[in-house]
Amino acid sequence: MALSELYTKFNRVWIPDTDHVWKSAEILRDFKPGDETLELQLEDGTEILYPLNSASPELPHLRNPDILVGENDLTALSYLHEPAVLHNLRVRFVESKIIYTYCGIILVAVNPYKQLHIYGDAVIHAYSGQNMGDMDPHIFAVAEEAYKQMARNNKNQSIIVSGESGAGKTVSARYAMRYFAMVSKSGSKTHVEDKVLASNPITEAIGNAKTNRNDNSSRFGKYTEISFDRRYQIIGANMRTYLLEKSRVVFQSQGERNYHIFYQMCACADHPEFKSLKLLKADEFCYTSMGGETRIQGVDDRTDMVETRRTFSLLGLTEDFQADVFKVLAGILHLGNVDVRSIGTDSSSVSSSDPHMAAFCDLLGVMPDGVTRWLCHRRIVMVAETVVKPVPRERALNARDALAKQIYAHLFDCIIHKINAALQVPGKQHTFIGVLDIYGFETFDINSFEQFCINYANEKLQQQFNLHVFKLEQEEYMKEDIPWTLIDFYDNQPVIDLIEAKMGVLDLLDEECLFPQGTDQNWLQKLYNYLSDNSLFEKPRMSNEAFIIQHFADKVEYQCGGFLEKNRDTLYEELVETMRTSKFALLANFFLEEEPSEVGRKGIKVRPARPGVKPANKHLRTTVGDKFRSSLYLLMETLNATTPHYVRCIKPNDDKIPFEYDSRRVVQQLRACGVLETIHISAQSYPSRWTYIEFYSRYSILMSQLELDFNDKKQTCRTVLQRLIQDSNQYKFGRTKIFFRAGQVAYLEKLRLDRLRGACVTIQTHFRGWRLRKKFLCMRAAAIVLQQYVRGQRQIRKTVTAAALKQGWAAVVIQRYWRGYLTRQIYTMLHTSTVTIQAFTRGWIARQRYKKMVEVQKALVLQKYARAWLARRRFQTLRRLVHNVQLSYRCQQLRKKLEDQVKENHGLLERLTGLSGTYAQALDKLHSLEAQLDKSAKEKALLEERVHMSKEEATKTIFQLQAEKEKLVVEKQMLEKKLTDSEIEMKDNFNQIKTSLREDLEREERLRKIAENNIELQKEDHGKQVEVLKEDIRRLKEERVQLKRQLEEEAQVNEDVRDQVIKLTKHVKVIPELRKDVHILQSQRDDLDRRMKEQSEQARAKMSVITQQLLGGVVEQEVIAKLTADDPDQIYEVGDLLSVFDGLQKATRVLDIHQKEQKESFNSQVEGLTFKMEHLQNENKQLQKLFQEKTSVNDRIRQEVARLNQENMVIPELRQQVSELQRHKLELESRLEEEAREMAENIEKISNKLHKNIEEEGSQRRLFEQRADEVLRDKEELERRVEELEEEKKLLRRQNDTESEAKTRFSQEASRLTAENMDFEEQLDMKDRLIRKLQHQVKSLQTSEKANKTPTTTTPKEYLGMLEYKREDEPKIIKYIILDMKPRGVVVNMIPNMAAQLLFMCIRHADYLNDDAKLKSLMNGIISGIKKVITDHQEDFELLSFWLSNTYHMLNCLKQYSGEEEFMKQNTTRQKKNCLQNFDLSEHRQIFSDLAIKTYNQFISAIEKTLTPMIVPGMLEHESLQGISSMKPTGFRKRSNSIYEDQEVYTISSILQQLSLFHQTMSQHGMEEGLVKQVIKQTFFLVAAATLNNILLRKDMCSCRKGMQIRCNISYLEEWLKENSLLQSCGAMDTLKPLSQAAWLLQVNKTTDDDAKEIRNQCSELNPVQIVKILNSYTPIDDFEKRIAPSFVRKVQGLLHDREGTSFQLMMDIQYRFQVTFPFTPSSQALELLQVPSSLTLSFLTRI
């Protein structure tokens, strides 16, 4: 769509204005091409006619829709021009109170002239780790981007901060350095971060001063390199300074001050350490009182001096050095007060009694005579003599000021050098981030040499900035695969050439400085002469003492006065010599003659682009301009070697009024700092860039239902755009974004607004119709009711008579009696029902009482029978004890049977030895197979010979074809000769045979066509043949692959056979014959290898010969070389094989005969394999018989063991041993059965595979008979056979290894059986002793029964609830119960807090023994172990939860069993007995309390680390309300380096799942409910604080719809609390009140006074700063929402001003911890009932 089509009615434009630069107007009539005026209406209602040029109308700039105003990034605006930028900045600065705005890669910072609450540590933590653009623009976002790119790309970074004086450059640079110091804490003892920050107060004291524009203006440029190590932690810093304003030391304009350090010293003149400096008040020194201002409002110089001295000490600068610095500064002040008197017109003098001169010389250690003399005299060296000449007072004063400036400049450099030395710490620099705080473009009423150098530096920086922006723009287009077109942008290289090129301004200035009599006028005249032709250089019309340069920002007029003097910066050599003789070492070092060096410089070693001028002698020193140019080259080299980040500081007004916006001043700075140039570059291409998702979400309302049904959203966006915007040049589709020309987004917004307005009209139409219909229906119903009533009355009046009245009365009487009758009937029925229910109830109660009586009677009967059973049981027990005598004899019988079993095992071993014979037979069969392989190799050799013969025949055929070809060549030559003769005859008889010639030509033409047709037919035939051959080759390749696979399967079968043989012989002794067989096989394999190599070499040679013969005359030698390579997969080209195809057909007939012979040999091999298979089956049957015999033996043993079990019911230990013996026999039986089954399966597999191999080999032979390239295949088969033999060799080696393993296993098995037999014998001996013991007990019981005549009752064991352990087992307790305890164990989850209970039972044992040392050692071990666990697992919240619960339970146990009355109220009688008796552990209770607090804090930190990444995406960014989009796409162009792809998407469900996991884990670990509630409360506070902090720092989150989303998510959290019964007593919802109130504030009306009062009353949990910040950041999503008026914000701010007890912190402290309490909760667990689980391997602990 053309831009002119957007100038329609109701659209708004910007027109120039003298007061406000630009003002807004609304179009009253649509613009049409050819109109000379544009009808507009201003915002005040005035209608004007805006004139247009009809030839080429320059239409005014269109205004962006309100929905786009206030964007975070200026390049996201649809219309990119100066008024749009100016208006966007004004809206953000004045209405939203936002000082930072992005402009592409630039951060525009507007000075608010007010302290803001957006620089706290909480804000730094909020921006740390965030991508640039995710949060609101901020200096911390730029610093984070630089830090992140440095860490990710290992590339140095630079932050370039520029702007006018008073724009806030120094503060911005200070905040950037503070951010780096916070996020990259090194943790070392050097505190290098504090030192880096401490350098700022010092440099500001000696380099900053008050000017008319700024109270703390930097009067020098500073580049600070902050060095980082490989862990990206600060290890040091280095500063470089540029162009210190030395003239300020001796001169200040009205209303300005000297450097701060002078006033700080004068303010502290009464301090003891400054008494010796003889300081006066600041207004008494000449150098500090020139400007008339010695104080700054709101600044205390005494306090600043204390801070300066503190930072000196922090940097490690000694007190002596500080005293020397103050001496030099005081000397400069005294030097300025030296009175120089005139003596006549040509001479001057200084009084020897001048106190200030005396003070100067005394402080700096110089001779007063020399100083006074050479201030007023000058030495002139001539050829023959040296003359001392007096100078006038004016020149003497200049010499004094020059000396003061030189001393201060040297002192400044010395302090910077000391600071750099203090900031260097041991360690190698890996990368660095440079912060450049440099002056911006300056233009004053009077501009001198300083402004010229400043503007020159800004020209260089602007050029570097333009190139960088251009490069980033190009990278963005290339990344998105969009065609790149050249963009026309301003290049300031001509201005730079005008200044620094040969015969430029600086070059002519240096040249003039070389002349002793050079003047400013002479230099200016040279400029006029040499540079008058340059369009960027102008001469003022009304002045001959100035010149004008057209800079990139503006024209600047420079006054030439003082240029030469400032460039020379000369100081008389006599004064220099005097200073060198000073006794004050610091001053003397200032003036030493030495080569200039780059002091303190560290970092990138670069070479200046232009070498500095080397003076010929000491009189030809380097000028200030040349020094500045060299340092500027070095700076540019450094910046070009880094990735730059730009911060442009803007001064909103000259009066320093907070949040006052002067459009003229701002636009002047925007033009000067390059912001508008960035806008210009962006506007020329595609400035608006939206992702496909953003576009789809925003403009889905413009899509049809068919387009919405598409699954591909990217394609949907393409379709919609092509339909809405016809001109495809107005947008481009990238890989991830859509690029729009300027104005297209505004056009889309207009279409969207029209669609929404139409939808609103439709909704209103239907609603109004529904409302009127509803009203009509109500009125109609009311009218009908009225009509019915009126008609009824009329009818009654007509029909009612006396008879009718009597009848009506009678009817009433009848109704009364009838109703009474019905009521009595109902009462009677209820009474009857009640009596019936009572009867049944009483009967049921009586029956229940009877049943209970019957149960009591039955219980008595049961007791009688139970007692009888117990008596019988005692009798049976005695009878079983008598039978034990019989058991000894039967055990002896069992021992004999075990010996028989051992003999049977020896028999089995002998049978296994017999199997070795079968193995030898298998080896013989393998030898026979190898012989067959040799036979097949010989047959293949014969086949090769036959193939060779066939190829020779093919060669003969080729020779014949070549002879025929030669004959055809001879015939061709003869025909050519005849053609030559005919041409001669034709020339002779041309006129006569012209007609016949034409006929011949026509005939030849027909023949040529026929020949061409024949050739084409032949080509087609050849093509078909080529395709057929290609198809044959493809089939051959497939068949070759199949053959390879078949051979591999056959090899696998052979390997399986060998494995089975190995398994059969695993329990057999070493077979000596096997080694001989292996040796024989190895020798055979070597012979086969040698034979194979010879055959393969012969085959290769024959192949090469055949190829040369077949294709030597057809193809090139390179093709032949490729065909004769060793690669078996190489196939000849089809075109080359056509000539030898006939010869190969003959070779196939010879191959057929050979294949038949080979088939017969393979059949014989198959018969041999079949015979082998039958033999193996017979062996398998024999083995099965052996296994059956073994099974019968085992059955007999099992029967005997069962009989013994029936007799041995008394002694459980013997029964257990018998069961183990039975299990052992079953294992033997199952092992033998498995071996038999595996053997049968393997033999069956072998037979199946053999049959399959037979079939495959048959198919293989058939394939061999059908193919013609058998020569290559034979070669491949030979190589495969070689590989198979190598594999067989490896198998034989493995077989030897397995045999050795089988021997070792056999010996181990024999030893194990022997050991088991010995164990059985020992067990039988034990049972004999047990039988004798039981017999003795039987006798004693019988005697006791006779004596007492009453049965004895056994008392159960009573446990004391403690665990006995040895002192040396204490490390095991700590290891198994604390260090190695896993929270996910089954036992741990079944018995919560079991670890604490076990440890406390051990403590009770130490207390029970009254062993003080043992108790202290155990307590210290427990505490150290828990500390080690929580220290080693700081991020494992599950382990931390486990030990928090156990530590808390341990603390409760120490209290519950302490014996104190307050903790024993709920104890049981048994628990009171288990109290500690000998020691008071109250001190250890405090230690465990502290340990629990530490564990709790660590647990909360682990929860925070897990939950923090989910909070902002889940609570704010995720759209939990479907269909309500609370985000508006901004089109913000994030840096590609800041974007992470494939990030995990978190939702509110993710947060709820994580909370459920936390709660479930704590519940499983038995954590006390009160402690769980405290954890949940702290977690909810984290969610609320993180979410609210993000809202306060993100303007795009402050909208009405976002408030709805937040409140919906809060309801989800509340529902989760209800489900887990934590809503009432937890207090978690109280922590969400600030967030809930913030969401309410986003949704509530914000227009009237009542709304303001409601906000004050409802937002009680938010402080005034937060409320005002949310109101200022409120952003409408649609045009239907209204912005908040600034007056309303001020009204709310006034109502909140008097609120008491409120904090003024913007951010919530996310690190805040609620005070944790551990209330005493007694445990009902009885310690005496607790058993130690066997899974914990705590067998060394004993319950007592």
mmCIF file of all heavy atoms in Angstrom, residues 1626-1637:
data_model
loop_
_atom_site.group_PDB
_atom_site.id
_atom_site.type_symbol
_atom_site.label_atom_id
_atom_site.label_comp_id
_atom_site.label_asym_id
_atom_site.label_seq_id
_atom_site.Cartn_x
_atom_site.Cartn_y
_atom_site.Cartn_z
ATOM 1 N N CYS A 1626 -1.816 -21.695 57.080
ATOM 2 C CA CYS A 1626 -0.472 -21.606 56.503
ATOM 3 C C CYS A 1626 0.015 -20.158 56.407
ATOM 4 O O CYS A 1626 1.180 -19.867 56.644
ATOM 5 C CB CYS A 1626 -0.458 -22.259 55.118
ATOM 6 S SG CYS A 1626 1.146 -22.212 54.304
ATOM 7 N N GLY A 1627 -0.870 -19.228 56.065
ATOM 8 C CA GLY A 1627 -0.455 -17.843 55.869
ATOM 9 C C GLY A 1627 0.171 -17.587 54.523
ATOM 10 O O GLY A 1627 0.743 -16.522 54.291
ATOM 11 N N ALA A 1628 0.088 -18.581 53.620
ATOM 12 C CA ALA A 1628 0.708 -18.401 52.300
ATOM 13 C C ALA A 1628 -0.042 -17.369 51.471
ATOM 14 O O ALA A 1628 0.565 -16.601 50.713
ATOM 15 C CB ALA A 1628 0.772 -19.733 51.559
ATOM 16 N N MET A 1629 -1.359 -17.329 51.604
ATOM 17 C CA MET A 1629 -2.129 -16.361 50.819
ATOM 18 C C MET A 1629 -1.825 -14.922 51.235
ATOM 19 O O MET A 1629 -1.953 -14.001 50.419
ATOM 20 C CB MET A 1629 -3.625 -16.643 50.962
ATOM 21 C CG MET A 1629 -4.094 -17.895 50.244
ATOM 22 S SD MET A 1629 -3.694 -17.909 48.468
ATOM 23 C CE MET A 1629 -4.615 -16.487 47.904
ATOM 24 N N ASP A 1630 -1.424 -14.731 52.478
ATOM 25 C CA ASP A 1630 -1.059 -13.382 52.906
ATOM 26 C C ASP A 1630 0.181 -12.888 52.168
ATOM 27 O O ASP A 1630 0.314 -11.686 51.897
ATOM 28 C CB ASP A 1630 -0.805 -13.355 54.413
ATOM 29 C CG ASP A 1630 -2.079 -13.640 55.204
ATOM 30 O OD1 ASP A 1630 -3.181 -13.409 54.651
ATOM 31 O OD2 ASP A 1630 -1.979 -14.110 56.351
ATOM 32 N N THR A 1631 1.090 -13.801 51.846
ATOM 33 C CA THR A 1631 2.287 -13.385 51.105
ATOM 34 C C THR A 1631 1.961 -13.015 49.667
ATOM 35 O O THR A 1631 2.752 -12.319 49.024
ATOM 36 C CB THR A 1631 3.330 -14.521 51.116
ATOM 37 O OG1 THR A 1631 2.785 -15.671 50.438
ATOM 38 C CG2 THR A 1631 3.686 -14.912 52.527
ATOM 39 N N LEU A 1632 0.813 -13.484 49.157
ATOM 40 C CA LEU A 1632 0.427 -13.157 47.789
ATOM 41 C C LEU A 1632 -0.379 -11.864 47.702
ATOM 42 O O LEU A 1632 -0.771 -11.465 46.603
ATOM 43 C CB LEU A 1632 -0.403 -14.301 47.195
ATOM 44 C CG LEU A 1632 0.305 -15.646 46.982
ATOM 45 C CD1 LEU A 1632 -0.665 -16.662 46.419
ATOM 46 C CD2 LEU A 1632 1.501 -15.499 46.052
ATOM 47 N N LYS A 1633 -0.632 -11.218 48.838
ATOM 48 C CA LYS A 1633 -1.445 -10.004 48.805
ATOM 49 C C LYS A 1633 -0.816 -8.886 47.969
ATOM 50 O O LYS A 1633 -1.524 -8.221 47.215
ATOM 51 C CB LYS A 1633 -1.701 -9.516 50.240
ATOM 52 C CG LYS A 1633 -2.778 -10.309 50.966
ATOM 53 C CD LYS A 1633 -3.043 -9.717 52.341
ATOM 54 C CE LYS A 1633 -4.148 -10.516 53.042
ATOM 55 N NZ LYS A 1633 -4.431 -9.969 54.399
ATOM 56 N N PRO A 1634 0.503 -8.620 48.079
ATOM 57 C CA PRO A 1634 1.063 -7.575 47.203
ATOM 58 C C PRO A 1634 0.843 -7.864 45.725
ATOM 59 O O PRO A 1634 0.499 -6.964 44.958
ATOM 60 C CB PRO A 1634 2.558 -7.586 47.562
ATOM 61 C CG PRO A 1634 2.615 -8.139 48.932
ATOM 62 C CD PRO A 1634 1.511 -9.145 49.017
ATOM 63 N N LEU A 1635 1.023 -9.115 45.320
ATOM 64 C CA LEU A 1635 0.809 -9.472 43.920
ATOM 65 C C LEU A 1635 -0.662 -9.358 43.553
ATOM 66 O O LEU A 1635 -1.013 -8.865 42.467
ATOM 67 C CB LEU A 1635 1.318 -10.897 43.670
ATOM 68 C CG LEU A 1635 1.176 -11.433 42.244
ATOM 69 C CD1 LEU A 1635 1.958 -10.565 41.275
ATOM 70 C CD2 LEU A 1635 1.660 -12.878 42.163
ATOM 71 N N SER A 1636 -1.541 -9.808 44.432
ATOM 72 C CA SER A 1636 -2.973 -9.712 44.162
ATOM 73 C C SER A 1636 -3.409 -8.262 44.050
ATOM 74 O O SER A 1636 -4.212 -7.904 43.171
ATOM 75 C CB SER A 1636 -3.744 -10.429 45.269
ATOM 76 O OG SER A 1636 -5.133 -10.338 45.046
ATOM 77 N N GLN A 1637 -2.889 -7.409 44.918
ATOM 78 C CA GLN A 1637 -3.245 -5.993 44.836
ATOM 79 C C GLN A 1637 -2.672 -5.338 43.583
ATOM 80 O O GLN A 1637 -3.312 -4.451 42.998
ATOM 81 C CB GLN A 1637 -2.749 -5.277 46.097
ATOM 82 C CG GLN A 1637 -3.492 -5.693 47.359
ATOM 83 C CD GLN A 1637 -2.950 -5.032 48.599
ATOM 84 O OE1 GLN A 1637 -2.079 -4.161 48.520
ATOM 85 N NE2 GLN A 1637 -3.459 -5.445 49.766
#
